[in-house]
Amino acid sequence: MTARARVRAPELTGKGGWLNTGGATPTLADLRGSIVILDFWTFCCVNCLHVLDELRELEERHRDTVVIVGVHSPKFVHEAEHQAVVDAVERYEVHHPVLDDPELATWRQYAVRAWPTLVVIDPEGYVVAQHAGEGHAHALEKLVVELEAEHGAKGTLRRGDGVYVPPEPVATDLRFPGKMLALPGSGHYLVSDSTRHALVELAADGESVVRRIGAGERGFADGDAATARFSEPQGLALLPDGGVIVADTVNHALRHLDLESGRVTTVAGTGRQWWQGSPASGDAREVDMSSPWDVAWFEDRLWIAMAGVHQLWTYDPAAGRVEVAAGTTNEGLVDGRAADAWFAQPSGLAAAGDRLWIADSETSALRWAERADGGEGYVIRTAVGTGLFDFGHRDGPAGQALLQHPLGVTGLPDGSVAVSDTYNNALRRYDPATGEVSTLATDLREPSDAAVADGDIVVVESARHRLTRLHLPEEAVRVEAVAHRTQRAATDVAPGAFRLDVVFSAPAGQKLDERYGPSTRLLVSATPPELLADGAGKGTDLFRDLVLDPSVPEGVLHVSAMAASCDDDPANEFPACHVHQQDWGVPVRLTDAGDTRLALVLAGMDAAQ
């Protein structure tokens, strides 16, 4: 067996304390004898949510030997609130202990640079592997089996129950609802009851349950209202023929609901998550998707906020086809031609006139799509927002206004737009006529969507598990302006020649898949772009020699890496293959005493450390 570097795991500390432990405060010493997997996550991050899903099977299969510990490491200010973490742990059905680390103490101890990152600690308390991004479940499974055998033989493996203690369930009609739809004619509301994996039809009062659609357990099954199964459904859109499309987010699919019969059928998606290199257009039932979060009917198509890959897609019900409409899969905020635009977890859509409004959550932005001049294709514009790291609550001219991770957008009767400003616990308004942003309501709890009803607005208060009806005020609420930047310490780097290494080791029993050309990809850019005097762009090597401009004192290096590996078995004509990918945004500060090399671990250990 290959010798591993013996790096002692630092202790787990977090000011917010522990969740899912029944009040206990476990230490690494308490976990000695178990294989510990640390999952550094934050609940705004769709890639982190993908990893939660990837870990479920491993967690169940090795429950007596593996302890998964979620280390919640916030990006946004709202995510540092303890109650928000408590809510997220329930919302996303996290069934393992979670350390709330609002000050990123454990993040820094483990030198983590990206959400999500997984760190494996062996039963003797040593770090043996690190993985960033998604797609590592297969590698973790092989490593766990190897560690079970090794430490079982040494007598250092301890089997038994872990430290997880489930919280008491709470009875409510809705549990972390996601999106809503005002149903024509009846005045009723259809709500995606996301944590209970169902849809709920409510009467006009917004409280009385008319019916539930879905069995209420996580799954992927068509059928009638009692037997159909969803997995964390979100967006809802009414089709011209009266049917409803449901964004079945964790099933990576679109479902069709017949309102009259309550029958649910799958119309797009395979249930598998889309990966780089997979087809992104074609027969809707044969193309994979990635966390569709919202849907809206616009210009004779259903538009899809494909949060998992930072794109907009469309679905044509008549032709039964899907295709990419905007976005490159790179994460960020770039306007222009739809094909060249960058998004960051688009999570809310609303069609209003000749614009499709977009809540682009990770850039805390309100954006829109519209026809390009001449009518050929679409362009993407930004009304509010500047990028991945600036957010807050500031009203006034849109160019300097701030939001914080908005998830919903709603067209208002006067042509303005209401934004469910989720992490500010507020409802905001943008007026295209004046270019002004104001606040309509505060003291909401994680609003995620809204709909207009008889001159009022009905808001989904996701973390209060209810719909709330508000009068649309003539005068906006005034709040004290607050601005924030993501609180991650900048890395000191030296100006001039600079080496970037993405560390990747194929899992045991696998090799890089080079049957059809290079199996790795690296994309490097910077904010501001002037930070990189040389080295920006695409390539197939997982290293890059950069030149950092000494006249730019600080900025962010954006790095996107992908590697594909397959089973190393010459006798197998169709080996199983796996894609590993991650995006990093690394704040850097230029100083003569700074490092001349930056290593980002995609999978494995950095031998140069």
Side-chain angles (χ1 to χ4, degrees), residues 25 122 126 228 240 243 247 250 267 276 278 280 315 318 331 354 366 368-369 410 447 460 515 524 534 565 595:
T25 56
D122 73 12
Y126 291 93
V250 177
V267 295
Q276 290 285 352
S278 301
Y315 164 59
E331 185 177 14
D354 59 1
L366 172 65
W368 79 88
T410 308
V460 179
R515 293 171 297 168
V524 181
D534 191 30
S565 61
D595 296 331

Side-chain angles (χ1 to χ4, degrees), residues 189 201 279 383 576:
Y189 304 102
E201 184 177 344

Side-chain angles (χ1 to χ4, degrees), residues 455-489:
D456 293 337
I457 191 164
V458 180
V459 182
V460 179
E461 278 199 90
S462 188
R464 284 199 177 115
H465 321 293
R466 71 186 188 190
L467 304 187
T468 298
R469 192 177 186 115
L470 303 170
H471 291 298
L472 285 170
E474 294 183 7
E475 295 296 329
V477 177
R478 293 296 173 189
V479 298
E480 184 177 351
V482 179
H484 301 288
R485 282 185 63 83
T486 299
Q487 297 302 304
R488 281 191 291 161

Side-chain angles (χ1 to χ4, degrees), residues 35-39 55 58 66-70 96 118-121 140 144:
I35 301 163
V36 179
I37 300 176
L38 304 182
D39 176 16
L55 292 175
L58 181 144
V66 171
V67 175
I68 295 176
V69 174
H96 50 249
L118 298 167
V119 175
V120 182
I121 303 171
L140 288 173
V144 164

Side-chain angles (χ1 to χ4, degrees), residues 174 178-183 186-193 198-203 211-213 234-238 243-246 257 259 449 451 460 467:
L174 300 173
K179 302 290 186 179
M180 67 177 297
L181 180 64
L183 298 177
S186 65
H188 291 182
Y189 304 102
L190 187 65
V191 183
S192 54
D193 195 15
L199 310 178
V200 178
E201 184 177 344
L202 299 176
R211 60 173 170 167
R212 298 186 70 87
I213 299 162
Q234 286 284 341
L236 305 164
L238 192 68
V244 172
I245 294 293
V246 183
L257 168 65
L259 282 171
D449 200 13
V460 179
L467 304 187

Side-chain angles (χ1 to χ4, degrees), residues 493-499 531 533-534 545-550 590 592 596:
V493 297
F498 188 80
R499 174 75 171 205
L531 174 64
D534 191 30
D545 289 317
L546 310 176
V547 177
L548 305 183
D549 189 333
L590 270 62
D592 290 339
T596 58

Side-chain angles (χ1 to χ4, degrees), residues 487-529:
Q487 297 302 304
R488 281 191 291 161
T491 298
D492 287 338
V493 297
F498 188 80
R499 174 75 171 205
L500 171 68
D501 286 319
V502 174
V503 177
F504 177 77
S505 299
Q510 293 190 18
K511 64 178 181 179
L512 290 174
D513 177 20
E514 296 179 340
R515 293 171 297 168
Y516 308 109
S519 61
T520 56
R521 186 192 70 173
L522 183 65
L523 174 65
V524 181
S525 62
T527 302

Side-chain angles (χ1 to χ4, degrees), residues 179-180 236-237 294-299 303-305 312 346-360 366-370 407-412 415-420 449-452:
K179 302 290 186 179
M180 67 177 297
L236 305 164
D294 203 7
V295 283
W297 187 259
F298 177 65
E299 294 207 342
W303 288 64
I304 308 161
L312 303 181
S347 301
L349 299 175
D354 59 1
R355 290 183 177 181
L356 178 72
W357 293 99
I358 306 154
D360 200 29
L366 172 65
R367 308 174 73 182
W368 79 88
E370 65 182 359
L407 290 178
V409 60
T410 308
L412 298 179
S416 64
V417 182
V419 180
S420 295
D449 200 13
V452 174

